[in-house]
Amino acid sequence: MQILPINELKAIYKYYISAAVLLSLVLSLTLLLSVRVDILSLSSVLITSALLAVTLRQRHLTAKVILDCEAFASYSSEMQEHCEVEQHNTESVAAILETVINQVYSIKTLGNDSVSGLTLQFSELRQALNNTIESARGSVENFGDDEHCFAKHSQEELNEVLHSLRVALGSKLEVVNSNQAVSHAAKELTEQTKSIQKISKEITLLSLNASIEAARAGEAGRGFAVVAERVRELSDITSEAAELIIEKMNGLTNAVADNTEKLTESQAQDVTLMDDAELHIRKVLNEMATVANELTQSVHGLDDTASKIKANVDDAITDFQFQDRVSQKLEHICKGLTSLVSLYRTEGEDGLAALQQEMFNSYTMKEERECHVSTTENTSQHDHVEDEVTFF
Amino acid sequence: MTKKIMIVDDSASIRQVAKMTLLAEGYEVIDACDGLDAINKLDDGKINLIISDLNMPNMDGLSLLKKVKEMGQYRFTPFLMLTTESGSDFVSQGKQAGAKAWMIKPFKPEKLINTVSRILA
C-alpha cells in the first residue's frame, strides 16, 4: 500500500479547487463592477453565482474528501504497519516451525541411532543367552536324567572295578583252596610213604631171615643168599628213599601250610580292604550323585532363568521396533509441518484443508489415522487389516 | 542347503532384529536399506525369499515387488511385505502385485520365523 499518491492527489485537488474559487470570485467581481445589466451579464452572474455556490459546495466536499483521505491515509498507514507486523509474524512463525522441524528431525535421528545401537546390543545379549541356555542344557544332559549321564556312567564304571576286584579276590580264595588241597594230598602221600617205609623194613627183616635160612642150606642156598642180600639192599634203598620223600613232603606240607596261612591272612585283609574301598567308593558315588543332582537342579534353575531373560530380551527387541513406528510418525509430522510452512507463506489459510488431507494420505498406521480423525473434522474412511500376518 | 533371505528396510533396527532372528534359525541373510539398494544386490539369482518394508526412500516396497516380478530369475521368488501399513487397500495392492504374505510391524521373532517357515515350506 502506497500513501504518497493519495497525498499528491489531495494536494492537486486542493490546488484546483482553490483556483476555481478564486476564478469565480474574480469573474463575479468584474461583472458587478462593469454595471452592465443585460441578459448575458445576468446569465453570467447567475452562472458565476451558481459556479460560486457549486465551487463553495465542492470546497466543502473537498474538505470532507481531504479529511477522508487523511483518515484513509492514516488507516492505510496503520494497515501497512499491521501488514508489516503480520508479515513479520508470519516469517517468525515459519522460522519457529522450521526450527521445530529441524529439532524433530534431530530427535528422530538421535532416537534411531540410539535404538539401533540398543537393538544390536540386545541381539548380542540374546545370542549369548542362547549359547548359555544350550550349554546349560548340555550340562543337564551330562549330569541329569539321561542314560549316559556323567554320574551314572561313573557309578557304573566304579561298580565294574569293584566287580573285577571281587573276581580277583575269588581267584585268590581258589588259590588258598588249591593250596589246602595240595597240603592234604602231601599229608596223604607222606602217610603212604611211611607205609612203604614200614613195608621196606619188613622186607629187610624178611631178607635177613632169608639170608639165615640160605646159610643153613649151605652150598645150595648160596644163590638164594645173594638174592636175599640184594633184596635187603633194595629194601634199604627204598627205606632211605621213603625217608627222603617223607622229609621233602614234610617240608612241602609246611611250605604249603605257611603259604596258605599267609594267603588266608592276605585274603582276609583284601576282603576288609575291599569292603572299606567299596564303602568309600559308594560314599563318594553318593556324594557325587548328590552334587550332580544339586548341579542339575541349579542348571535347571539357570536354564529357566535364562529362558525368562531371553523372553524378556525378545520382548525388549520387539518393543525397540516401535522406534520404527515413532520414526515414521515423526517423519509424517515433519513433512506436515514443512508443507504447513510452505502453504502459510504462499496460500495462507486456503491451503490448510488440502494440507490436512495430504497429511491423512501420508499415514500408514491405524492409530495415526484414528488420531487424525479424532482431532480434525476429517471424515475419510480407511479400512485396516486386523491380523498380524495375512497370507495370500 | 542353507536358504538365503534378503531383508529390505530403511530402519537399521528392524534390519538388525530380522537378521538376528533369521541367522539364529540357520538362514543366510543379506540386507538392503531401500528398494534400489535391493535391486543392485539381486544379481546372483540365489535368493529364496525377499522380506521388504513398504515405505522406503528411493524405491518403495510395492515398486520393488513389481520390479522383482519382472526379473526372470526372481519371477517366482516369494515376497513377504513387513510393514507398519495396515490399510486394507495397500494389502490388496500387495496381493495383486504377487506378494505371498503381508505382516504388520512390530513383529515377534517367533512370528517371523513361523511365517518364513510357512512360506519356504
Side-chain angles (χ1 to χ4, degrees):
Chain A
M1 181 72 70
Q2 293 293 325
I3 295 173
L4 189 60
I6 292 170
N7 283 337
E8 284 177 358
L9 180 67
K10 190 172 76 175
I12 291 164
Y13 205 65
K14 263 182 170 180
Y15 173 77
Y16 281 118
I17 292 298
S18 300
V21 170
L22 188 62
L23 185 64
S24 299
L25 284 172
V26 168
L27 280 172
S28 299
L29 191 61
T30 306
L31 286 170
L32 285 172
L33 288 175
S34 68
V35 194
R36 289 180 63 189
V37 180
D38 53 19
I39 296 298
L40 185 62
S41 299
L42 188 62
S43 300
S44 299
V45 167
L46 286 173
I47 291 168
T48 305
S49 299
L51 184 62
L52 182 63
V54 169
T55 304
L56 286 171
R57 174 65 184 162
Q58 193 64 40
R59 187 172 181 277
H60 174 72
L61 290 173
T62 303
K64 197 176 175 187
V65 168
I66 287 168
L67 283 174
D68 287 347
C69 282
E70 284 174 350
F72 181 71
S74 173
Y75 176 73
S76 296
S77 178
E78 282 176 14
M79 280 301 292
Q80 187 179 11
E81 285 174 10
H82 181 70
C83 285
E84 283 174 356
V85 169
E86 281 290 316
Q87 195 172 3
H88 177 72
N89 287 343
T90 303
E91 280 305 316
S92 299
V93 169
I96 289 167
L97 283 173
E98 282 173 343
T99 307
V100 169
I101 292 165
N102 288 336
Q103 293 288 358
V104 172
Y105 270 124
S106 171
I107 290 165
K108 183 188 155 208
T109 307
L110 193 66
N112 281 348
D113 291 348
S114 302
V115 173
S116 186
L118 275 173
T119 307
L120 182 63
Q121 286 174 8
F122 270 72
S123 300
E124 288 171 356
L125 186 64
R126 186 182 187 273
Q127 191 58 46
L129 273 170
N130 271 343
N131 294 339
T132 305
I133 289 168
E134 288 300 318
S135 174
R137 284 178 184 161
S139 301
V140 168
E141 282 171 8
N142 283 336
F143 285 98
D145 334 305
D146 191 76
E147 284 293 321
H148 303 290
C149 69
F150 174 74
K152 208 164 188 172
H153 184 70
S154 301
Q155 196 163 14
E156 284 172 0
E157 288 284 325
L158 286 170
N159 279 338
E160 280 183 21
V161 170
L162 282 175
H163 178 70
S164 299
L165 286 171
R166 291 269 178 216
V167 169
L169 266 180
S171 301
K172 207 170 184 178
L173 185 63
E174 283 177 9
V175 172
V176 172
N177 291 337
S178 297
N179 277 351
Q180 284 174 344
V182 168
S183 179
H184 183 69
K187 280 178 183 172
E188 282 183 354
L189 204 60
T190 302
E191 289 301 317
Q192 287 172 358
T193 308
K194 280 179 181 174
S195 297
I196 290 168
Q197 196 178 26
K198 192 176 174 182
I199 293 166
S200 178
K201 282 177 181 174
E202 284 180 6
I203 290 171
T204 303
L205 193 61
L206 279 173
S207 66
L208 281 172
N209 288 335
S211 297
I212 292 167
E213 291 300 324
R216 280 184 189 166
E219 193 60 33
R222 186 171 294 272
F224 189 71
V226 172
V227 173
E229 181 59 26
R230 188 59 188 160
V231 168
R232 191 187 59 79
E233 284 175 7
L234 287 172
S235 179
D236 287 345
I237 290 168
T238 302
S239 182
E240 284 171 7
E243 186 64 35
L244 195 62
I245 288 168
I246 288 167
E247 188 181 342
K248 293 289 180 188
M249 287 304 291
N250 283 337
L252 179 65
T253 303
N254 289 337
V256 169
D258 187 45
N259 198 19
T260 303
E261 187 180 354
K262 285 178 180 170
L263 273 173
T264 306
E265 283 176 9
S266 171
Q267 194 213 9
Q269 285 175 354
D270 287 350
V271 168
T272 307
L273 281 173
M274 268 298 298
D275 289 344
D276 285 349
E278 191 170 353
L279 199 67
H280 280 101
I281 285 169
R282 295 214 179 277
K283 191 179 171 188
V284 169
L285 282 175
N286 284 337
E287 284 173 0
M288 274 179 68
T290 306
V291 170
N293 192 36
E294 287 173 359
L295 193 61
T296 302
Q297 296 298 324
S298 299
V299 171
H300 274 307
L302 185 68
D303 186 21
D304 289 344
T305 307
S307 295
K308 283 174 188 166
I309 293 172
K310 181 176 168 283
N312 288 336
V313 168
D314 281 351
D315 287 344
I317 289 171
T318 305
D319 289 343
F320 285 150
Q321 293 174 59
F322 278 100
Q323 173 61 25
D324 181 48
R325 294 173 81 93
V326 171
S327 178
Q328 286 193 39
K329 285 182 181 179
L330 289 174
E331 181 74 30
H332 297 150
I333 289 168
C334 286
K335 281 181 179 170
L337 287 173
T338 306
S339 300
L340 177 64
V341 170
S342 176
L343 280 169
Y344 202 53
R345 281 175 171 155
T346 57
E347 296 180 33
E349 292 185 358
D350 295 340
L352 292 180
L355 172 61
Q356 280 198 354
Q357 191 58 45
E358 187 185 323
M359 286 173 71
F360 185 82
N361 292 340
S362 71
Y363 300 144
T364 60
M365 285 161 265
K366 187 180 179 182
E367 61 262 29
E368 275 185 304
R369 289 176 179 131
E370 286 175 349
C371 181
H372 187 107
V373 169
S374 68
T375 53
T376 65
E377 293 178 355
N378 195 318
T379 54
S380 301
Q381 292 296 315
H382 210 280
D383 292 333
H384 288 264
V385 291
E386 297 295 332
D387 295 334
E388 283 180 54
V389 187
T390 307
F391 289 97
F392 302 134
Chain B
M1 187 180 164
T2 308
K3 301 266 175 81
K4 195 172 179 181
I5 298 173
M6 173 182 268
I7 297 164
V8 191
D9 202 305
D10 56 331
S11 165
S13 59
I14 295 290
R15 287 202 306 271
Q16 183 62 39
V17 173
K19 194 171 182 177
M20 174 267 297
T21 304
L22 295 170
L23 281 174
E25 289 301 304
Y27 293 108
E28 188 181 343
V29 182
I30 59 170
D31 58 2
C33 62
D34 57 45
L36 210 58
D37 189 27
I39 292 291
N40 290 332
K41 288 176 178 172
L42 283 173
D43 55 354
D44 58 0
K46 290 173 185 169
I47 306 289
N48 299 100
L49 170 67
I50 298 170
I51 301 173
S52 175
D53 187 18
L54 181 66
N55 297 300
M56 294 180 290
N58 300 321
M59 184 189 285
D60 64 59
L62 274 174
S63 301
L64 172 65
L65 170 58
K66 289 169 186 169
K67 195 88 179 167
V68 164
K69 293 295 171 189
E70 289 170 4
M71 298 166 78
Q73 69 269 44
Y74 288 107
R75 193 177 168 191
F76 300 108
T77 303
F79 202 102
L80 168 64
M81 295 298 304
L82 181 62
T83 173
T84 54
E85 177 62 72
S86 58
S88 51
D89 47 347
F90 283 99
V91 177
S92 298
Q93 285 181 47
K95 184 182 178 181
Q96 283 176 357
K100 276 280 180 186
W102 190 283
M103 189 169 179
I104 309 291
K105 288 192 284 193
F107 60 87
K108 288 259 183 195
E110 286 77 8
K111 194 80 180 171
L112 179 65
I113 291 163
N114 292 340
T115 306
V116 167
S117 302
R118 183 169 162 182
I119 292 172
L120 290 176

